[in-house]
Amino acid sequence: MKSKYEEACDELKANPKHWLVTGVAGFIGSNLAEQLLRLGQRVTGLDNFLTGSRSNIHYLLQEAGPDARERFTFEEGDIRNIECCRDVVEGVDHILHQAALGSVPRSMKDPLTTNDINITGFLNVLIAAREKGSCSFTYAASSSTYGDHPALPKREASIGMPLSPYAVTKYVDELYAHVFAQQLGFRSRGLRYFNVFGKRQDPDGAYAAVIPRWIMKALRGETIEINGDGSTSRDFCFVENVIQANILSAMTPPAEGHEVCNIALGDRTTLLELYELIVQAVRSKGFTPRSAPVFRDFRAGDVRHSQADISRAIEVLGYSPSIRVGDGLQSTVDWYASHWLER
Ligand SMILES: NC(=O)c1ccc[n+]([C@@H]2O[C@H](COP(=O)([O-])OP(=O)(O)OC[C@H]3O[C@@H](n4cnc5c(N)ncnc54)[C@H](O)[C@@H]3O)[C@@H](O)[C@H]2O)c1
């Protein structure tokens, strides 16, 4: 029997739609656009290259297949400009809003820009989408919204106080989406991503996420540093599962006006386990990573453990995260070994 996702893909292939992906030059946005193009869809992508890159667009078009370019339109623009948002929503059937300024530490250093992009920018996209009407609206929310709530696994209804400016902005987005649904009748769904990983995630710079950073260090034979004793755990989720959730969300109108769903694997991997999996995947490609990691202090403000309860996404969307962490890491390492080392 076909899964709900396979059925959704079949339907899209038979009846192609026009999608807007904001943040298309970033990690998740470029993966979303690639899969949509593979499915024969028309995609408009918006980005201002603040943290995304032209090479991500180059790779997404290269990897999406021969005629992808003809169905892809790129708009360089900023979601802080509402006219730009109004222009790009023209004619689209589905909006997958990914553009934001990510990273908790960056938001501590620059809360104002994080606020401008993640709240004002979000609101602009929401307003433009509502004015347009007749399109689905799915946006990237975040597990950071759980803040200091101690419960594990995390359930959508129980959140704590935010632990960073970034978390504040992601929660405010949910509040705006809720109010737009309650007061203005505009339906939307927020997908609370937990730690997502996969190809085209930026491995360099001060705010790089742990997985691409460690993969590149392992490929280059550099020392990997672990914050804490390695027992810290996260619900790492391969990007293909996140793509599945977005496509299912677009094809499944929310029963309530606005709802949020956790998107993760529903499992926990410790940093030490992650280290071992990366080293193994890198060895399988013929590289020789450094033999042992170096342990540093725990990072201030980091929650020790995180894990999602994904039962709402399973029930509401038919979400079925099919790719486990080990397989996702191997495919990610394969990609960095063949694409990033050559740069
Ligand atoms: N990666 C994760 O683990 C994770 C976890 C939770 C939530 N999220 C959310 O998912 C979304 C995508 O994250 P990502 O990891 O792909 O990040 P990313 O930084 O790779 O992608 C974000 C993209 O948005 C673009 N952008 C930023 N400001 C913009 C603006 N003002 N106008 C237009 N474009 C702008 C950037 O240039 C970049 O290409 C974000 O909303 C993020 O908050 C990600």
Side-chain angles (χ1 to χ4, degrees), residues 14-178:
N15 293 299
K17 300 289 181 200
H18 184 184
W19 301 68
L20 169 64
V21 178
T22 69
V24 75
F27 158 48
I28 297 174
S30 69
N31 278 280
L32 278 168
E34 180 189 330
Q35 174 62 359
L36 291 169
L37 290 168
R38 272 182 206 281
L39 293 171
Q41 308 301 294
R42 213 175 125 206
V43 177
T44 295
L46 173 72
D47 211 290
N48 68 349
F49 297 116
L50 186 59
T51 57
S53 64
R54 287 179 200 278
S55 67
N56 278 351
I57 306 236
H58 164 80
Y59 286 133
L60 94 82
L61 289 173
Q62 195 179 59
E63 288 163 28
D67 66 337
R69 263 165 223 280
E70 293 152 30
R71 287 176 284 105
F72 181 72
T73 308
F74 177 69
E75 298 289 345
E76 185 168 347
D78 196 310
I79 57 169
R80 287 169 288 185
N81 174 349
I82 192 159
E83 291 312 324
C84 163
C85 299
R86 288 187 172 120
D87 286 348
V88 288
V89 300
E90 249 342 282
V92 304
D93 303 298
H94 298 293
I95 299 175
L96 302 177
H97 175 48
Q98 310 300 309
L101 192 57
S103 163
V104 164
R106 179 170 21 218
S107 77
M108 305 276 197
K109 214 164 171 201
D110 186 2
L112 209 51
T113 311
T114 304
N115 192 86
D116 279 350
I117 296 175
N118 296 6
I119 298 183
T120 306
F122 177 88
L123 191 54
N124 285 339
V125 180
L126 190 64
I127 289 170
R130 188 214 155 220
E131 285 173 355
K132 187 204 168 286
S134 69
C135 59
S136 78
F137 186 79
T138 298
Y139 65 93
S142 165
S143 62
S144 63
T145 295
Y146 290 103
D148 64 0
H149 198 283
L152 278 179
K154 308 289 182 198
R155 294 199 174 84
E156 286 85 348
S158 306
I159 63 168
M161 289 300 287
L163 295 168
S164 66
Y166 172 75
V168 171
T169 66
K170 286 296 186 176
Y171 183 45
V172 171
D173 292 352
E174 292 188 8
L175 295 176
Y176 270 122
H178 171 81

Side-chain angles (χ1 to χ4, degrees), residues 272-287:
L272 259 186
E273 287 166 342
L274 182 70
Y275 171 84
E276 292 299 338
L277 287 167
I278 288 177
V279 163
Q280 211 177 303
V282 164
R283 280 211 183 100
S284 79
K285 298 296 292 176
F287 292 84

